[in-house]
Amino acid sequence: MRFEIMRLDDVDGTAVDSTVVDAASVNRIVQQAASIGQRILIRPAETSAL
């Protein structure tokens, strides 16, 4: 399964950029974001994003 991870703006929460990753990469990205206090949104990737 693949997931879209969006980096969110600290001020208003809008998506700044996004990437599609496989399930094995999600934990690493979450840990990186948590270590620097970055806000992210994770959701299943749409078929068209593959």
Side-chain angles (χ1 to χ4, degrees):
M1 182 167 199
R2 297 180 64 80
F3 294 90
E4 180 179 20
I5 300 179
M6 292 178 277
R7 187 168 51 100
L8 303 177
D9 182 78
D10 289 334
V11 176
D12 62 9
T14 59
V16 176
D17 62 13
S18 69
T19 187
V20 176
V21 299
D22 59 8
S25 300
V26 173
N27 185 51
R28 177 182 51 83
I29 293 170
V30 169
Q31 293 299 322
Q32 288 175 342
S35 72
I36 61 172
Q38 187 176 59
R39 295 172 60 192
I40 59 174
L41 173 68
I42 303 169
R43 65 181 181 188
E46 296 179 10
T47 306
S48 62
L50 299 175

